[in-house]
Amino acid sequence: IKLPHTSAGQSFIGVEIPRKQISKGDLVFFRGRSSRRRGIGHVGIVITEKGEPVQFIHSSTSSGVRIDRLEAEYYRKRFIKATRVLPLN
């Protein structure tokens, strides 16, 4: 699957899904460093199964590649949406 280079561009690919439906492989999108900015500035890939507490892997400029929880205060405040990227047939 080809995706745009930026997290904002990637947010237009796939189908938006409800927070309770998030599952492994879905993309989760966040505001960037400032929680006041409205635009998408960060993306992660979900690594947990549907129904489990959502964890995602992403690259942090300060800590490198890491795993975080969607419900952590920092990410909960910045969460914008989740999408499921479907293969094009």
Side-chain angles (χ1 to χ4, degrees), residues 13-73:
I13 307 298
V15 176
E16 188 168 349
I17 55 172
R19 198 171 180 143
K20 291 185 179 191
Q21 298 286 323
I22 293 173
S23 186
K24 186 185 283 187
D26 293 339
L27 301 179
V28 284
F29 295 94
F30 306 91
R31 290 177 184 81
R33 290 186 183 153
S34 171
S35 62
R36 294 181 199 156
R37 295 186 78 184
R38 298 177 72 85
I40 290 172
H42 195 66
V43 62
I45 303 170
V46 176
I47 59 170
T48 49
E49 298 293 341
K50 181 179 170 186
E52 297 177 350
V54 177
Q55 292 185 329
F56 59 97
I57 190 167
H58 63 112
S59 180
S60 161
T61 55
S62 60
S63 312
V65 176
R66 54 181 290 147
I67 294 171
D68 281 295
R69 294 178 306 113
L70 184 60
E71 290 308 314
E73 184 175 356

